[in-house]
Amino acid sequence: MAKTQQKETLTEDEKKKQIYDMVDNLVKKSHVALDQMANFTQEQVDKIRVVLVKSF
């Protein structure tokens, strides 16, 4: 016997909270990345630049 999967229905408020949480998570990750990049040496920045230029 096959199980039927019920669709999860969200209210508008639940949808908004879900979107807010996703955006909030991305912002938190971007702050972590920015903090890490603030400590890069010029040599590390140059290596990243070379890789980026070669990829285009």
Side-chain angles (χ1 to χ4, degrees):
M1 286 168 65
K3 278 188 173 180
T4 58
Q5 185 176 1
Q6 291 182 337
K7 271 189 165 181
E8 181 181 340
T9 55
L10 300 174
T11 65
E12 285 300 312
D13 285 342
E14 289 172 328
K15 289 177 186 178
K16 288 178 183 177
K17 171 137 178 43
Q18 197 174 46
I19 292 168
Y20 175 84
D21 289 344
M22 286 190 289
V23 171
D24 190 51
N25 189 36
L26 287 173
V27 170
K28 286 178 184 176
K29 287 180 179 182
S30 69
H31 283 283
V32 170
L34 183 60
D35 289 342
Q36 290 175 347
M37 288 188 297
N39 296 320
F40 283 0
T41 64
Q42 186 61 48
E43 183 178 338
Q44 290 170 314
V45 172
D46 291 343
K47 284 181 183 179
I48 293 169
R49 185 183 58 78
V50 168
V51 170
L52 287 174
V53 168
K54 285 182 180 180
S55 69
F56 288 103

